[in-house]
Amino acid sequence: MNLEELVKNYGYIVVVMGTFLEGETILIVAGFLAHSGYLQLPFVIMAGFAGTLVGDQLYFYVGRVKGTEFIDNKPHWKLRADRVFKLFKKHQTWLILGFRFLYGIRTVTPFVLGTIGISPIKYSVLNFFGGLTWAMVVGTAGYYFGHAIQFFLIGIKPYRKWVILSLLISGMLVWLIYRRREKKAIKKALSQDGHASDR
């Protein structure tokens, strides 16, 4: 089975799984693949929406059931959780609608919101519209990214597979680098807090 068949057969499943976990990179790549003719943009958006909606609903209920103890047991989440609490105090509705666009706190936000005691109905309604907007914006951005590449690189068609592979590898590398830097920043902040409390 070649790359084209793999993408066509399993592409939407990968989008659902990727957006369930986090999702920006996989959804942009899927949008690009839709422009390249491997996938269809409406189904990419639907798959991205399904993955992010189910994932963030689940994370919200985990936070709701486990409570703040769940957050307290994850010290590397502390800084991000604090940011979510501060944002929630100022912009409750906008935070629920737009947290997927806030890189760095996107994953932890549903868990934190679950611990705060928001009405599950309110969260579900806002999460539905927020997830749909996010899937449409990011999926379409990937689609037009493919359009831009094709416009600037005329004759790209023979090398499309290599472009797709480089995009996937680049996306993974960017994500890994960001995670590594974030972990270092969190460790540094936690060690500073520890030194401050010792004084």
Side-chain angles (χ1 to χ4, degrees), residues 25-42:
T25 304
I26 195 71
L27 194 53
I28 288 171
V29 172
F32 174 84
L33 292 170
H35 181 271
S36 302
Y38 290 100
L39 301 173
Q40 294 181 42
L41 184 60

Side-chain angles (χ1 to χ4, degrees), residues 55-72:
D56 291 323
Q57 284 294 129
L58 175 64
Y59 305 149
F60 172 81
Y61 280 103
V62 169
R64 189 173 172 83
V65 171
K66 298 285 187 180
T68 52
E69 287 181 11
F70 184 79
I71 305 287
D72 294 338

Side-chain angles (χ1 to χ4, degrees), residues 112-183:
V112 176
L113 292 174
T115 67
I116 291 172
I118 304 168
S119 158
I121 295 172
K122 178 181 179 180
Y123 175 81
S124 298
V125 170
L126 293 174
N127 190 41
F128 178 92
F129 289 108
L132 183 59
T133 303
W134 176 82
M136 290 172 68
V137 169
V138 177
T140 305
Y143 184 87
Y144 283 105
F145 174 66
H147 183 73
I149 287 180
Q150 190 174 25
F151 179 78
F152 287 109
L153 300 174
I154 298 166
I156 195 176
K157 197 167 184 179
Y159 309 103
R160 231 172 13 185
K161 291 176 184 178
W162 294 109
V163 172
I164 291 164
L165 278 172
S166 1
L167 274 173
L168 287 168
I169 292 166
S170 300
M172 296 253 325
L173 284 172
V174 168
W175 184 79
L176 287 169
I177 290 166
Y178 175 83
R179 284 292 182 198
R180 191 175 177 185
R181 285 182 179 175
E182 188 181 39
K183 282 180 181 178

